[in-house]
Amino acid sequence: MMNDIMTSIKQVDGGSVIKSGDTASVFEFEILGDDGLKKDLSGTGKLAVFNAKKVILYEDVSVESGRFSFRFKDVVDPGRYKLELKLDGFIFPTDNFEIRVRPSFNPANSVPESTEDPK
């Protein structure tokens, strides 16, 4: 039985800035109620990561004790992205948080793996 309105998700681990192509960084969040305290919810939620132009990620995430995490599995275009979790008929948006994806170096301009002179 839920009497209160659940209002947001808050990042608890991971950064907010990554390079395009970063598939290793993990972002972890908590679900917060209108009192600002973590809600002890569990289940499978739908996570959307988006900006004004498009949704770049829409997938199931496992929520345990009010926490969930995700990582990007594909290259993400540079930009700023918001998050939203749908669970148990509620929508939990991030408040002022956004993930900033910065451009990666062009491989043609990157530092070579070996400093030996190729022959």
Side-chain angles (χ1 to χ4, degrees), residues 78-99:
R80 295 172 181 261
Y81 299 94
K82 296 279 192 184
L83 288 81
E84 188 174 88
L85 177 72
K86 295 177 184 175
L87 179 67
D88 291 342
F90 294 97
I91 297 175
F92 306 95
T94 49
D95 287 333
N96 298 321
F97 176 83
E98 61 186 12
I99 294 174

Side-chain angles (χ1 to χ4, degrees), residues 15-100:
S16 63
V17 179
I18 64 168
K19 294 278 191 175
S20 179
D22 180 347
T23 57
S25 293
V26 175
F27 301 91
E28 187 170 350
F29 293 85
E30 285 183 342
I31 298 172
L32 303 179
D34 60 350
D35 55 5
L37 301 176
K38 184 178 85 150
K39 301 310 275 181
D40 193 22
L41 297 174
S42 295
T44 300
K46 271 288 192 199
L47 177 68
V49 181
F50 57 93
N51 63 14
K53 296 179 183 173
K54 63 182 175 178
V55 174
I56 60 163
L57 180 74
Y58 188 68
E59 69 180 23
D60 288 342
V61 293
S62 178
V63 178
E64 293 183 23
S65 300
R67 291 176 84 125
F68 68 93
S69 62
F70 78 96
R71 64 183 177 82
F72 292 112
K73 294 168 186 66
D74 299 308
V75 173
V76 175
D77 290 336
R80 295 172 181 261
Y81 299 94
K82 296 279 192 184
L83 288 81
E84 188 174 88
L85 177 72
K86 295 177 184 175
L87 179 67
D88 291 342
F90 294 97
I91 297 175
F92 306 95
T94 49
D95 287 333
N96 298 321
F97 176 83
E98 61 186 12
I99 294 174
R100 290 185 301 156

Side-chain angles (χ1 to χ4, degrees), residues 1-14:
M1 182 168 86
M2 297 184 177
N3 302 3
D4 53 345
I5 299 170
M6 296 175 209
T7 57
S8 66
I9 53 178
K10 176 182 89 169
Q11 186 179 33
V12 292
D13 197 16

